[in-house]
Every structure is written in C-alpha cells, then in structure tokens.
Amino acid sequence: MVTLTKFVLIATVYAFSGILTHITASRVLELSDRFLDIHKDGQWLVMMYAPWCAHCKRVEPIWAHVAQHLHATSIRVGRIDCTRFRNVAQAFKVKGFPTILFLKGEQEFVYHGDRTREEIVKFALRVSGPPVQEITKTQSFDTIKKERGLYFLYVGEKVGPLWEYYHKTADVFQPHAFFYHSHPGVVNKHAPVESVPALFVYKENSHYNFTGHTTSDIGKLNETLYKWINAERFPTFPKVTRGNINQLFLTNKNLVLAVVEENQLEKIPPHMMQFKDMVESIIKSKREKYHDHFQFGWIASPELVNSIAMMVLPLPSLIVINTTTNHHHIPEDETEKLTPHVIELFLEQIRNENAPRYGGNSWLIHIYRSWFELRTTLAAMWMGNPILTIVVFGLPAGFLSLICYGICCPDILVANDEEDEQSGANHMKKD
C-alpha cells in the first residue's frame, strides 16, 4: 500500500510538472508565414531563428524566460523558423540568426544588446510605450529607481526648445534608455529641482544635471543635448560586451577598458578584481576631470580585446581605444606597476596626443587584423581538438592539392602514358 501511494504521488508530481512545463513553453508563440498578415496588430517581440543555429539554441531558454516575464503585459512573444518560412525572413530583411525584432504598428526596432533576459525585457518595455513616459505619482520614483537603474528625467511644462529637443532625442535613443517627464510637485525630493525646466540623468544613486539649456543658440542646444544624452546613457563603469561595444563606440570618446577574465560562473579572480576596482576608482573619484573625454568600463572577453589590439594582452591589463579613429593605446608599464597616479599620467598623454598609438583604419591594418583573427582561431581549434582540426582543414587541403595537380600537370601524366606505350612497342619489335 505504501509503494502504491508513493507511485501515485510521484506520478501526480510528474504530471503536474508536465503541465507547468507546457504552460511555460506555451508563453512563446510558434509563428508561421501568416504572421505577415497580423504583425501590425498589437505589439510583438519576435525572434527570427534557424534550427541549426547554435546561437539560437543558446538563446532558446532565455527566450522562454522573456516570454514568461512579459506574459502579464500587452507584448506578445513569439518566434519564427526562417528556414521554413523564408518569405518572412525576406520581408523583414533578416541577415543573421538570431534576429530579435520588436514590432509596433508601422514601427520596427531591432535589438542589438546582450542576449540576457534582463536586457531583452528592458528593451521591450522601453519601446512598447511612448518615447517619453509621464510620471504622475511621487511613489513611482522608488520603483523606477529600483527597476531601471538609469533613466533621464525632464521636469517642467511640455513647451519650449528644451522639451522639443528632449522629446526628439528620446525618440532616437528609445531602444537604449528610459526617458520620463514629470512636474516639480510630483518629483518632490527625488531630484534636485531648483528651477524649471530642468533635465537630469539618474544613475548610481545620483542625479547629474544637463547644464547646456541656458544657451540662446537653438542649433547649439540641439547638438549639445544630443551629445549629452548619447554619453550619459551608459553607466559610469559598465561591463563591455560584444552586445554593447558598438554603442559605446558611438560616444566618440576614448574607451578606457580594464581587461580581466571570468570563469564559467562569471567570477573574477581576486587579483584581477583588485585591478578592476582600481581603474574604476579613478573615474568615480575624478568624474569631472575625465568624464567628458573618456568612457571607462571593464571587459571580460580577452579574445575581443586581443582582436582590437592585434596581440595577446596579459591579464589583467589596460587598453584605451579611440572610438573615432580606431587607434588604441597600451601603457608601456607592466600591469603590476600601474597605479592610479600612473594611469592618470597615461590618460593625460592620450588627451594631449603624446601617447604612442597603434592600429587605425588603413587597409594594411584590416589585412593584418584578419590574419591575426584567423591564426588565433586556428590555434584555439588546434589546442581544443587537434584531430578535428586536421580533418576539417587537412582533407580539403589534400583534395585541393590533387585537383590542382591534375589541372596544372596534365602533360606529365600524358608523357608517362606515352613512354609506357613506346616502351611496350619496343619490346614487341625485339620479340
């Protein structure tokens, strides 16, 4: 009787787990080419994928969590197999997999950020609403600060050039940041409002004012506001990844990167963490001095930095990338000798254009970088699986050699045949 009871209990648990799994999986809508007829109805977050794509398979569990998180909203989350429905891929001009799109009526947004649940959900929530969302309750600020972490806030009436250009710029950067509007009575003590209109960015538990709105030059106001929002939409010391490095390049600042390495659990060794914290302390303590010229950050993808530097950098290390010219600077001192004072001297040399620079955009650099990446890839393959590397590259090379030999040396083969025939004829005459 005890055994039967356990069996029934286990069966019930498995059945209930199966139902939950089915419910969770059903949050993601499997779409077909009929989606072309309804994609303008409502709001859609869609992943264009291919079953054979390894990147798509890695995103699949993340996509399920995204759908689960957005289930209570008006955003419908789906995916489309573009190998079956190629007309859908052609209609949306999909060039690679996976491609993540947010569709809202006639508007279409392409996601270029990190493929994590948190970042994808934030992207969907940003573009699902208007470019500038209004805050009408003081209590809402506590939630926004906790969930958003970084946002822009305009305080005042919706009139005047500052509001006009703020709304215009928010429309451009909506996929990348949250933009809000409120009034002095609602803001209360959540932002240091002395006069209106006022504009702030909130990040790292602090507000930073936009001070360029006092100018009477409308053209300069538009340019200054755009540059300010473009620069301030990033944290002071963000983690730089393949997903956001292109956006960081758009700041046109010098990108100062502390290069470290993470293990599979995304943990950084203590000595590298100490180096990372030291670099971060420079921008945190001297923001006014360096923020206009440098964007600080840290990166745990050494292979990406090595590709930029075209050499294998030691870990940890420091590299400064000129995002305008694609040149880079590397300190001459060894990592162990890098102190905050030494790094500051190095940054001053860069700002004064006295530091040695490497790389750039010339065609010779592009050729060398391609060669370096190919050599690095082959070396990694050889270290990981030498037999597979031989099979992948050795067999095609062997077949290619035979084909080339057959094409380039047919006279040798014909000559050998003629010699054999002539030798046989001579033997017959002697007989």
Side-chain angles (χ1 to χ4, degrees), residues 227-247:
K227 288 183 177 179
W228 182 77
I229 290 179
N230 185 33
E232 296 293 347
R233 62 192 175 100
F234 300 101
T236 303
F237 194 71
K239 180 179 181 180
V240 180
T241 64
R242 293 182 182 275
N244 65 8
I245 192 170
N246 290 328
Q247 289 296 316

Side-chain angles (χ1 to χ4, degrees), residues 223-363:
E223 180 182 357
T224 305
L225 178 61
Y226 183 93
K227 288 183 177 179
W228 182 77
I229 290 179
N230 185 33
E232 296 293 347
R233 62 192 175 100
F234 300 101
T236 303
F237 194 71
K239 180 179 181 180
V240 180
T241 64
R242 293 182 182 275
N244 65 8
I245 192 170
N246 290 328
Q247 289 296 316
L248 286 162
F249 265 62
L250 297 178
T251 62
N252 293 328
K253 293 183 180 182
N254 289 293
L255 186 56
V256 184
L257 295 180
V259 186
V260 296
E261 190 175 34
E262 290 179 327
N263 59 21
Q264 294 181 348
L265 299 177
E266 297 187 352
K267 298 294 184 181
I268 302 174
H271 70 288
M272 294 190 188
M273 180 63 74
Q274 185 177 4
F275 177 79
K276 169 181 169 291
D277 292 341
M278 179 193 68
V279 176
E280 182 178 9
S281 67
I282 297 173
I283 184 60
K284 287 292 180 69
S285 62
K286 299 189 177 181
R287 172 186 165 89
E288 296 296 327
K289 181 179 180 180
Y290 293 117
H291 183 65
D292 291 340
H293 303 281
F294 298 96
Q295 170 65 55
F296 281 66
W298 64 280
I299 186 168
S301 303
E303 68 282 356
L304 177 58
V305 179
N306 293 340
S307 176
I308 295 173
M310 295 173 292
M311 60 180 291
V312 179
L313 294 177
L315 294 175
S317 62
L318 186 75
I319 184 172
V320 181
I321 306 169
N322 187 319
T323 59
T324 303
T325 65
N326 284 338
H327 287 96
H328 61 273
H329 309 271
I330 300 173
E332 297 179 356
D333 299 271
E334 297 178 356
T335 303
E336 296 77 12
K337 298 180 181 179
L338 290 179
T339 63
H341 178 67
V342 172
I343 294 176
E344 288 185 42
L345 292 176
F346 176 58
L347 297 180
E348 287 299 320
Q349 287 182 329
I350 294 173
R351 192 160 64 172
N352 297 329
E353 298 184 355
N354 294 326
R357 63 180 189 174
Y358 312 94
N361 287 320
S362 68
W363 62 272

Side-chain angles (χ1 to χ4, degrees), residues 70 73 75 121-129 133 148 178:
L70 296 174
T73 69
I75 303 170
V121 167
K122 283 185 177 181
F123 163 78
L125 294 176
R126 281 194 293 263
V127 298
S128 63
Q133 303 178 43
R148 304 295 184 250
F178 288 98

